[in-house]
Amino acid sequence: MASLPPSPFDRDRRNRRTMMAAATVGLGMLALGFASVPLYRIFCEQTGFGGTTQRAEAATQVKVATGHSMSIRFDSNIAPGMPWQFHPERPTQTVTVGAKTMAIFIAKNMSDRPVTGTAAFNVTPLQAGAYFTKIQCFCFTQQTLQPGQEVRMPVLYYVDPKILDDPDNRDTQQITLSYTFYPVEPDKKAS
């Protein structure tokens, strides 16, 4: 007995099903593309991946690890096109692990116009990011400096005592906190 060719109705139904499956997969991939940046940011903040530091509230209580100190080195950079001078007040600090400490960075607008900047940051060694916690930082918001204006910008931070129990950080003697200031482009719609 010879088989009959599929009817046009069956073929149309299969084509619609295939098209719906392809559209669903495409929309799912698009949604994943939009969600990937916030999900990656959350992952980095939670794990310290890539040298991402942690954040805490000022009221956070931390047990100081008396007798355990660490050197914190500060690195400052300016992106091309950023007309600022930017540097730490002191290039290094020796801190007690768990103790809240403040560092000061100085920025000066060298141009004849107001300039807004934003700071990107990380720490090295990268695995120490999970234990370097900022309470207050100029990097949390954009900074606008008027022509010739110089400002002192504080960073309030601590190194979490849990770093002492981490086998990957057991021998860490120094953490480098690095900032790079980038210009914020003015909103072109406001022009």
Side-chain angles (χ1 to χ4, degrees), residues 110-132:
M110 303 304 289
S111 75
D112 60 357
R113 61 183 170 78
V115 176
T116 300
T118 187
F121 58 87
N122 72 336
V123 298
T124 53
L126 298 179
Q127 70 270 14
Y131 304 101
F132 195 95

Side-chain angles (χ1 to χ4, degrees), residues 15-191:
N15 286 344
R16 273 193 300 265
R17 252 189 286 165
T18 302
M19 186 174 68
M20 290 302 288
T24 301
V25 168
L27 287 173
M29 292 176 73
L30 181 66
L32 184 59
F34 280 105
S36 64
V37 171
L39 290 173
Y40 181 73
R41 183 179 306 124
I42 291 167
F43 170 77
C44 290
E45 288 172 355
Q46 294 300 313
T47 64
F49 182 76
T52 302
T53 62
Q54 306 303 301
R55 283 179 77 165
E57 298 296 320
T60 301
Q61 296 298 314
V62 183
K63 184 174 170 131
V64 176
T66 307
H68 295 278
S69 63
M70 191 170 286
S71 174
I72 307 298
R73 188 177 84 76
F74 302 106
D75 177 51
S76 59
N77 304 283
I78 299 290
M82 185 68 172
W84 286 10
Q85 289 180 349
F86 174 60
H87 60 88
E89 190 172 63
R90 293 177 30 205
T92 60
Q93 289 180 334
T94 300
V95 301
T96 300
V97 174
K100 294 178 182 175
T101 307
M102 183 184 292
I104 302 290
F105 283 77
I106 299 169
K108 183 174 184 179
N109 181 355
M110 303 304 289
S111 75
D112 60 357
R113 61 183 170 78
V115 176
T116 300
T118 187
F121 58 87
N122 72 336
V123 298
T124 53
L126 298 179
Q127 70 270 14
Y131 304 101
F132 195 95
T133 305
K134 293 183 200 171
I135 298 167
Q136 177 186 338
C137 182
F138 57 85
C139 60
F140 296 161
T141 58
Q142 295 179 355
Q143 305 295 317
T144 300
L145 299 182
Q146 298 304 314
Q149 181 182 12
E150 181 176 290
V151 295
R152 294 168 43 101
M153 299 183 295
V155 179
L156 184 59
Y157 69 95
Y158 65 89
V159 178
D160 193 317
K162 293 176 187 170
I163 195 170
L164 301 172
D165 300 325
D166 182 349
D168 292 333
N169 283 292
R170 189 170 291 141
D171 298 325
T172 300
Q173 300 291 317
Q174 184 176 67
I175 295 175
T176 300
L177 175 61
S178 181
Y179 289 102
T180 302
F181 253 107
Y182 294 90
V184 173
E185 295 297 322
D187 185 7
K188 297 195 180 356
K189 292 179 186 175
S191 302

